[in-house]
Amino acid sequence: PSLSMQEWLQAANQDSNNLATESLLLQLGAVNPSFLNDAKAEESARETTLGLALEQLSETLSSLGIDATGYSLADGSGLSRRNLVSPMALVETLQAMAVHPWAETYRESLAIAATSGTLRYRFRNTPVAGNLYGKSGGLTGVASLSGYLYPPNYPPLVFSIMVNHSIQSGRTNRRAIDDIVLQLAALESCE
C-alpha cells in the first residue's frame, strides 16, 4: 500500500525528498483531466503527464489566489534551474494554506526548527527552536527558507527569504538567512 498523503507531504517537506515531490506532482497529471473543459481536454490529452500536472498545479494555485506571474515551474523536484518562484508567491501560498482545511496537516508536514527534518540542526538553543515550521532549499549559489514563525512576543509571521546568484558558500548563505530569522523572532508589538 502507498503512503498516506500526510506521509508523502512529510517526506517531501521535512526531508526535502525530491523524488517524493516529483511523484506528488506527477500524480496530478496521472488523473483524468476532468478539471478541463472539453476543448481543452482534447488538446491536453496529447500532452505529457508532466504537462498535465503543471497545468493542474497552476489552476490549483490560481484557485488559492496565487499570482501566476510569481512562478514558472519545470518540474516538481525543485532541482531544475528553470524553476522560478518569487518569495511573494511562496508567502501567498503559505498564507493560503494557513486557512485551508488541510492547514494543520500541511504545517505539520514542514520541518521544525531544532527538532525535525532539514531544520533539525538549525536554530538550536535560540528562541526560534520549536517555533518555526518551514521548508529550506538550496542549489549552488542559491539558499532559501520559507515558513511559519511563531515569535514569543509577536503575532505569527509567514516569511520567505531567498539568496540567489551568490558567490558565498552554502553555509554562509544559510547563516545569513538564519540571522534574519532570528531578528524576526525578536520582534515585539509596539504599545
Side-chain angles (χ1 to χ4, degrees):
S2 178
L3 298 174
S4 69
M5 180 56 74
Q6 187 170 1
E7 291 168 321
W8 274 108
L9 285 173
Q10 281 187 317
N13 289 335
Q14 280 195 16
D15 300 321
S16 284
N17 183 320
N18 296 316
L19 180 58
T21 59
E22 186 73 12
S23 296
L24 285 169
L25 176 67
L26 291 174
Q27 284 300 308
L28 292 175
V31 298
N32 184 341
S34 59
F35 63 93
L36 302 170
N37 62 36
D38 291 337
K40 205 171 181 183
E42 186 175 319
E43 177 185 328
S44 293
R46 293 186 297 270
E47 294 181 11
T48 67
T49 301
L50 177 60
L52 288 170
L54 290 170
E55 189 172 333
Q56 173 73 39
L57 178 60
S58 179
E59 290 197 15
T60 300
L61 290 172
S62 291
S63 75
L64 292 172
I66 313 309
D67 183 359
T69 63
Y71 64 90
S72 177
L73 301 176
D75 69 12
S77 73
L79 294 174
S80 173
R81 292 208 180 261
R82 294 183 304 141
N83 287 321
L84 305 172
V85 180
S86 71
M88 181 55 81
L90 291 173
V91 165
E92 289 173 347
T93 302
L94 289 164
Q95 288 173 327
M97 288 308 299
V99 296
H100 192 275
W102 282 32
E104 185 176 349
T105 299
Y106 180 73
R107 190 184 73 241
E108 295 296 323
S109 78
L110 299 170
I112 303 171
T115 304
S116 66
T118 58
L119 299 179
R120 177 181 298 114
Y121 302 110
R122 288 172 74 174
F123 301 106
R124 287 186 168 182
N125 303 313
T126 72
V128 175
N131 293 315
L132 166 68
Y133 294 74
K135 176 72 182 81
S136 62
L139 296 168
T140 302
V142 178
S144 65
L145 180 61
S146 302
Y148 303 103
L149 178 63
Y150 299 88
N153 301 308
Y154 199 80
L157 300 172
V158 173
F159 72 94
S160 181
I161 304 167
M162 292 183 179
V163 176
N164 199 5
H165 299 292
S166 175
I167 59 171
Q168 301 297 319
S169 70
R171 173 178 279 184
T172 299
N173 292 333
R174 284 187 301 277
R175 191 173 19 246
I177 290 171
D178 291 358
D179 287 345
I180 294 169
V181 171
L182 289 168
Q183 289 296 310
L184 291 173
L187 285 172
E188 294 185 12
S189 296
C190 296
E191 297 295 327

